[in-house]
Every structure is written in structure tokens, then in C-alpha cells.
Amino acid sequence: MNESIKKVAVIGTGVIGNGWIARFLSQGYEVTAFDPAAGAEERTRLAVNHAWPSLEERGLAANASKDRLFFKDDLAEAVSGADYIQENVPEREELKKSVLHTIDQHARMDALIGSSTSGIKPSILQSDMIHPERFFVAHPFNPVYLLPLVEVVGGEQTNKKALEQAGRFFSSIDMKPLTIHKEIDGHVADRLMEALWREALHLVNDGIATTEEVDKAIIYGAGLRWAQMGPFLTFHLAGGEQGMRHMLEQFGPALKLPWTKLKAPELTEELKERVISGCEEYAGDQSVSDLEAKRNEFLVKLLALVEEYWPEESQAKANI
């Protein structure tokens, strides 16, 4: 546990907020949550129970307990005693700015404030805050309680020390903070995923491949390699003994060929139905809960394998 952060608050308890809560609890933190939606507390406790077996398999902190979760009916009260506050309200700029302004007013002066926004620049979100220097984007990936990546992005008014403290905190809860020093819409990881998503939609829309075929193309090809090395190191190996130098000389000209369609296709009713029916047929009689359970079991085993091949002491600190 990070000694300077003992209590955390989570504002907004959808899929991402509940994922944060499960991770924080599993790492031994006391968590105060706030969400005005009816039934939010019940859904959160069910989500934590659902995540807990995977977290137990990964390894719980000595003082980890699901009983250290407390809900508050008032936003100001929820954040007033927290050392770290994670905001996860819907991805609407004005809503986020309003909620963050309220959080900023009632949080302790030394509390850090992070936002899970997947695309909005931190400079925009911190523009109405009284103390914007302690605010940053802390963008995780679903399921937050298992996937370790968190993109940490400061805005124009963010204090460098706040980013450094955030990095130490996330590392202490078994995450891999990726500090992005130049803010951009969509940050880094989502921009990469969106490019692949657009191309996948074109392939389905043009009748070239089904949703199942696109998924299998990733599962049994690039996905297996990316889980270990990522695109650049994968292509480095594709160049043989000369690595990336030979790879770019041999395959570089192909980059000019019009293979890809990075502009998103029109999301027509026909395309939407093709994607929806394709996913439902591929899933068969497996419910979303069934698929989530299989995904979690797979990720626990995969994370152990990744850690075996990339032990902590040999990893370079991820920075952009």
C-alpha cells in the first residue's frame, strides 16, 4: 500500500468505476463510493463479488476486504476524507467538468484527483477547477481490476509532482502507469484500438469477413504476439537478424498501398444489425456473464505468463 494514500473515493459506479473499486479493495484500501443512480450500491456490491475470485487468484493484500466499501448519498461527503479520488461519470464534457468542480471544492487540499476519461484532454477538464494542479487523467482498461495499464496524463495546469505521486500510487496497486507527456484526444491506447475497430467495421460492412472471422484473425494471429511484445517489437522480429531496419526496407513501401480505410464507415442500421447478429451468433448460448468469467480466467493466466517473460526488474519504465 502507498503510505501517503490510505483512503480512496470513487465517483460514478458504472463498469469502470466498479472495476476501480474492486481493485482498490483487493489492494487493502478503504473505498468510499458515490453514485446517484437508483440501485447503484447493490450493483456495485454484486460487481465486486463477481470480480473477487479472480482477484483472490491473483493475490489479495493482507488487509483486503469487501467490507471496506462504504456508499455515501452526498458527493461532498464522499470525497471529503479521501487521499485519492477517481471520477468515472459518463463521457460528457460538461457533466464531467461540473462533477470535477464539485469534487475540487470539497476535497482536501492535498488530495489527488484522477479522471477515467477515455478521450477528453485533461486541460479541458481542469479548466473550471480551483486547484487544477492536482488533477490528471487516469485512464484504465476493462476489466480494471485485472488489466494493469493506466494512462496518466497531465493538463497544462497539472503539477509534475502530482503525476509522479500518481505513478507511484498506481505502481503500488499492481498497475503499469504509462505517463503520457503530451496530451491528445483519445490518449494512446484507445487511438490504437479505434484504428483497428474502424478497419474491422469496414471488413464486416463490405462483406469481406464476419465478426467471428475478424475476431479469430486477431485471436490466433496478431493478438497472441501483441500480448507479449506489442506491434513495434513484433515487427522488429519480422525483419530477421537486421530487425526493424530490414523490415522497413522490405515492407515499408507497402505502407503507401491503399489497404486500410482508417475513416470510419457510416454506421447504418444494416451494419449495426450485421455486427450485433454476428456477435450474438458467435457467442451462441453463452451469456455475457459466462463470457466475462471465461475472460477473467484467461486474463489471470495470461498475466502470469506475461510477468514470467517480462519480470518487473527487467522492465523499462513506460514513458511517452
Side-chain angles (χ1 to χ4, degrees):
M1 178 181 288
N2 189 298
E3 292 303 319
S4 62
I5 296 178
K6 295 182 173 61
K7 294 183 178 181
V8 298
V10 175
I11 308 305
T13 59
V15 172
I16 298 301
N18 287 338
W20 276 116
I21 288 171
R23 179 176 284 274
F24 290 141
L25 291 172
S26 74
Q27 293 293 321
Y29 285 88
E30 178 182 308
V31 181
T32 301
F34 169 80
D35 193 314
E41 181 174 357
E42 181 182 3
R43 287 192 295 273
T44 291
R45 295 193 184 278
L46 286 173
V48 170
N49 287 336
H50 180 73
W52 210 252
S54 297
L55 289 165
E56 286 179 320
E57 192 168 350
R58 285 287 292 165
L60 299 174
N63 53 342
S65 172
K66 292 182 286 185
D67 296 332
R68 301 188 73 189
L69 170 62
F70 306 95
F71 261 77
K72 298 290 184 182
D73 296 327
D74 181 72
L75 174 57
E77 186 181 357
V79 303
S80 61
D83 303 301
Y84 178 69
I85 301 154
Q86 184 73 34
E87 170 272 312
N88 317 276
V89 301
E91 199 78 351
R92 299 198 297 272
E93 184 178 312
E94 291 307 314
L95 173 63
K96 280 188 175 290
K97 288 175 68 175
S98 174
V99 170
L100 286 167
H101 179 70
T102 302
I103 291 172
D104 186 42
Q105 285 182 305
H106 296 283
R108 293 203 326 258
M109 283 291 296
D110 59 345
L112 295 176
I113 303 172
S115 172
S116 292
T117 179
S118 60
I120 306 173
K121 292 180 181 178
S123 289
I124 294 173
L125 293 178
Q126 69 186 175
S127 60
D128 292 340
M129 298 176 76
I130 302 169
H131 301 289
E133 68 280 353
R134 38 83 171 272
F135 171 79
F136 47 83
V137 164
H139 174 231
F141 295 83
N142 186 46
V144 183
Y145 52 89
L146 288 180
L147 292 186
L149 181 63
V150 55
E151 294 178 311
V152 181
V153 196
E156 294 174 358
Q157 301 180 76
T158 305
N159 190 304
K160 183 179 179 181
K161 289 184 178 179
L163 295 178
E164 293 172 349
Q165 188 177 356
R168 291 192 296 272
F169 171 56
F170 292 129
S171 293
S172 75
I173 60 172
D174 199 27
M175 299 189 83
K176 303 296 181 187
L178 178 66
T179 302
I180 300 171
H181 297 295
K182 185 175 182 180
E183 57 182 326
I184 185 173
D185 294 320
H187 320 314
V188 171
D190 270 2
R191 292 177 71 95
L192 295 170
M193 289 190 291
E194 282 294 330
L196 182 60
W197 173 235
R198 291 189 206 104
E199 191 65 22
L201 287 175
H202 275 295
L203 292 170
V204 173
N205 188 55
D206 296 345
I208 295 167
T210 65
T211 56
E212 179 178 357
E213 290 165 345
V214 169
D215 280 358
K216 286 183 175 179
I218 297 298
I219 292 170
Y220 300 113
L224 289 171
R225 300 181 299 185
W226 288 346
Q228 184 188 13
M229 294 186 175
F232 280 107
L233 207 54
T234 293
F235 281 132
H236 181 58
L237 269 63
E241 290 301 318
Q242 295 180 22
M244 183 63 80
R245 182 177 302 279
H246 178 67
M247 188 272 171
L248 288 177
E249 290 174 353
Q250 183 172 352
F251 298 105
L255 294 173
K256 295 183 179 180
L257 298 177
W259 285 357
T260 57
K261 300 178 180 180
L262 290 182
K263 184 177 179 180
E266 183 69 27
L267 198 57
T268 62
E269 290 302 317
E270 181 183 358
L271 176 55
K272 286 194 289 187
E273 185 55 38
R274 192 175 295 180
V275 170
I276 293 167
S277 61
C279 289
E280 290 175 346
E281 289 172 11
Y282 186 17
D285 55 5
Q286 298 177 99
S287 68
V288 170
S289 294
D290 293 336
L291 291 170
E292 284 180 342
K294 290 177 68 173
R295 176 202 64 191
N296 289 356
E297 181 181 353
F298 175 82
L299 286 175
V300 167
K301 294 177 180 179
L302 181 60
L303 282 167
L305 187 62
V306 170
E307 289 162 1
E308 178 183 343
Y309 279 85
W310 292 101
E312 185 66 32
E313 58 269 20
S314 68
Q315 285 193 21
K317 189 175 182 180
N319 282 297
I320 290 182

